[in-house]
Amino acid sequence: MHSFETKSFDIAWVREQFPSLSLQYRRHGSAFLDGPAGTQVPKQVMDAVQYYFLGANANTYGAFLTSQRTNEMILSARAAMADFFNCDPNEVVFGQNMTTITFALARAIGRELRPGDEIVVTTLDHDANVAPWRALEEKGVVIQQVDIRETDCTLDMDDLKRKISVKTKLVAVGYASNMVGTINPVVEITKLAHAVGALLFIDAVHYAPHGLIDVKALDCDFLVCSPYKFFGPHMGTLYGKREHLEKFKPYKVRPATNTSPECWETGTQVQELIAGIGAAVDYIAELGRHCDPSVKTRREALQAAYRATHHYETGLLSRLISELQSIPEIHIFGITDPERFDERCSTLSFRLGSHNPTAIAKFLGERGIFTWDGNFYALNLSERLGVEQHGGVLRVGLVHYNTAEEVERLVDALREFAAGTR
Ligand SMILES: Cc1ncc(COP(=O)(O)O)c(C=O)c1O
């Protein structure tokens, strides 16, 4: 039926790392298909947070043990994220979440913009990659919004080319859509932005659990992602090219350092969770070593992990799509052709007839199958697809700890729902 294989992946080892996957609900096992809103965490992450509280809990730059351990821990987490992004540690900024980081960065960049300068955003994006840029309209900045091709929910690249001009100062684009899973051609978009001297900002929040990020290969200027979407704690992280982090001036308090990247990290950070971020990266690297013991560096281990999870997730996705297509009245949004799976990740949204997605999510939830319904803050997209006023869509997110059995359970429950409402 399809050529994607899920068998060679050591799913038993993976699931052992995630204690919460054994959660029982009303005598059902829990199927966590809610990853796009936040993934479960491996025990390595929980241990790191606990270890921090037990032996390193203090504020930074004090002349005593726990404060010094805190400094070391932050350096080590920065180095881990640098391997994750493929950048220098001093190009990594920690923050509360992607939304807060992006508002702060947009404000800092906005200081340098003039009325009539333009920023390009897209209809495919989460509002956290739209609203912070739109906020600059108050300063006279003009926002251009790129449309999608409705048939496959991909970016309309002709429209993008039309909207980028010599007036463009920044292009803000998502790496992958958190609603329909489309992966954007970010390398091509970076080249288009740079050709007119504009900066390229990538929201990689949704891409990060599915694909390896390489900011050097992308040549982007900024890239953000949130560790809680890639098996870590609830925080956000930013990559910024060193020259930009040094040039733009964040709003900050006077006594705090002016040195980058710390000047971007306003106030006291959630240090225990920064410890968890380092552990999340190390978990992915451990998975990579488990898949390919020949790897040497952490970056190579991350590469091996993503190679394996990409293959495995694509197998699950392929199965999910072909099973869903056999349910009458299912309408899947986005790419469904297996030949084009490189253009999408394993997050899938659909509607079932005229049923309200909340009713379906509730039905599934009662059976221990956790999915999300609504617009997931991808408001422009939900409106553009005409589903906003009908409760949005039902979203199923498959990550590397999900299984073929969970896909079967989901599809069986959807068939039961459809039969019960006929
Ligand atoms: C694609 C995308 N961008 C941005 C965000 C916002 O991230 P955060 O919750 O870290 O602010 C999300 C959260 O769902 C997302 O999926």
Side-chain angles (χ1 to χ4, degrees), residues 93-106 224 236-238:
V93 175
F94 296 115
Q96 192 179 345
N97 50 52
M98 178 278 183
T99 306
T100 308
I101 289 174
T102 307
F103 268 107
L105 182 71
V224 267
T237 49
L238 165 75

Side-chain angles (χ1 to χ4, degrees), residues 1-4 151-152 154 180 314 317-319 321-322 325 332-345 348:
M1 186 171 55
H2 49 71
S3 58
F4 301 104
T151 43
D152 59 3
T154 55
V180 291
T314 307
L317 173 74
S318 170
R319 191 167 184 150
I321 290 181
S322 64
Q325 282 171 330
I332 299 173
F333 295 91
I335 295 165
T336 53
D337 177 0
E339 298 290 323
R340 297 183 59 201
F341 279 177
D342 277 351
E343 292 174 66
R344 65 161 302 138
C345 61
L348 193 92

Side-chain angles (χ1 to χ4, degrees), residues 323-333 349-355 360 414-415 417-422:
E323 297 266 359
L324 285 182
Q325 282 171 330
S326 70
I327 300 178
E329 290 196 90
I330 281 265
H331 177 83
I332 299 173
F333 295 91
S349 283
F350 59 88
R351 284 187 63 91
L352 179 53
S354 59
H355 293 295
I360 308 174
L414 286 170
R415 285 206 181 98
F417 177 88
T421 53
R422 225 168 267 146

